[in-house]
Every structure is written in structure tokens, then in C-alpha cells.
Amino acid sequence: MAFLKLSGIEAAYGASQALFGVDLELAEGEVVALMGRNGMGKTTTIRVTCGMLPARAGRIEFDGQDITRLPSHRVARMGVGLVPEGRRCFAPLTVEENLVAAARPGPWDFDAVSRLFPRLKERRDQRAVSLSGGEQQMLAIGRALMTNPRLLILDEATEGLAPVVRREIWAAIGTLRAETGLAILVVDKSLRELARVADRAVILERGATVWAGSMGKLERGVTDRYLGV
């Protein structure tokens, strides 16, 4: 049984429909890449999954429970951790305060996050607003982990970062995959990096699922058609 399952999801922003039938499945402990060109519905799919935008049609199941109509705070409490696009750290708070504010009981605490991202320990007393973009991204990931989720969703976690920081973020995602058993849904544009960490891919085109399968079966013709510029 799928750990996360989206079936026929439709959603809209007011009168403008954005999703026209998104189907997605993710097994417990699996890493799935959600892919597609800009504006194809990836972030909207994440917003609907997390209860931040209501679905007009379709069904979302998480660990066998229907969460389609649940508000975002209840989805989070069920074990869905989100690293949003744009980081959205609490700027006036210190690194440690950002992490503690999100904390829930479990193996992920300040020390565990610091082992994954040692720079956060070095910056623990600095305000988030003073951090570099890469450090803020590490903080956003750490904050999501501090909720001790069973599903981690990363929306463009490496966008706009320097290459050296991107490598650190991808290394951390690889560590999470290898050592934690977390289910991970990741949105990113780097096919090469996604191929290293993801088990399967789901591709969206104009708000609908157009391809799904293992990363090994993601052929050049598919990527050129749905991911090429």
C-alpha cells in the first residue's frame, strides 16, 4: 500500500484552475522526484498535499488515512514535514530558536540536525536574517526535520544556491535516504542529482501527471519532451 497517494487531484486559485488530474504514489522509505517545467503544477501539488490549498476534486491518502480535507496544521501533525520554496525562515529568531520553535518529540533534535549540517551549530546564536542563502536553506531543512516527520517534502531545495552549497544539500539528502528510512518527495531541476537520490519520478505537464516510473526508465525522449527548455 502506498504511504502517500494522490488520485485525480484538481485544484485552482480562484477561477484559474492549476491542477487537472495529478496522480502520485510514494512508498514508505522511498524517494520520489516530482518533475516538470516551471509553471506545470509542482508547487501547487505540494500545497494541496500539505493542506495549504484545497483540492477541488480527487483524493489524498497518507498512511492509509484520507487527508484530502484536512487543514495544514493537522497534516503536519500526522508527520508531513515541508521545506518550502523560498526557505521562509523566521528572520528575527536565531538559528537555535528557529529549530526549537518547530520541535516535536523524536530522534531529530538540535544535536542530530547539527550533525547533518555542522554550520548550523556554528551559527546557533545568529539571527536567521544574517545567514547566507545556503545556510538559510540548511536551516529550513533542519526546521522541517525537527518536526520529526515521516514524510519530508523539499520544494526546490537547491534553487539559486552556489555550487558548493548545492553539493552539501544533495549530500544531506543522500544521507537522509541512506540512514533514516524517511519517505522523501523532492522537487528540483537537476536531473543528474535527482538520478542519484531518487527511486522514481513523476512528471507533470500543464497540471496533470504525464509520466511516472523508475529513474532508470526515464529516457532521453521523455526528458526532452517534458523537461527540456
Side-chain angles (χ1 to χ4, degrees), residues 1-141:
M1 182 173 65
F3 190 49
L4 175 69
K5 184 175 182 179
L6 279 63
S7 304
I9 294 298
E10 298 181 12
Y13 296 97
S16 179
Q17 188 163 348
L19 301 183
F20 296 84
V22 172
D23 299 306
L24 183 154
E25 291 191 11
L26 186 150
E28 195 164 5
E30 186 178 35
V31 180
V32 170
L34 181 60
M35 306 172 72
R37 296 185 184 93
N38 290 340
M40 293 297 131
K42 303 184 298 297
T43 294
T44 301
T45 297
I46 288 173
R47 289 176 58 84
V48 173
T49 301
C50 293
M52 300 163 67
L53 180 71
R56 279 190 172 179
R59 180 182 175 93
I60 305 171
E61 295 179 16
F62 178 63
D63 197 18
Q65 298 185 55
D66 184 356
I67 65 169
T68 313
R69 305 300 173 193
L70 291 186
S72 57
H73 69 277
R74 290 189 59 189
V75 174
R77 287 175 184 169
M78 290 182 70
V80 178
L82 172 64
V83 181
E85 185 178 19
R87 303 163 196 134
R88 301 184 189 178
C89 300
F90 303 121
L93 301 185
T94 67
V95 165
E96 187 170 13
E97 289 168 342
N98 265 272
L99 295 174
V100 171
R104 297 183 67 204
W108 285 100
D109 56 16
F110 183 83
D111 288 338
V113 170
S114 296
R115 286 192 293 272
L116 186 67
F117 296 120
R119 273 201 254 179
L120 295 183
K121 187 173 185 178
E122 297 170 5
R123 308 284 195 271
R124 68 186 301 166
D125 295 322
Q126 286 186 222
R127 292 187 179 185
V129 70
S130 71
L131 302 179
S132 69
E135 290 165 346
Q136 288 184 10
Q137 188 63 68
M138 294 174 192
L139 181 57
I141 296 172

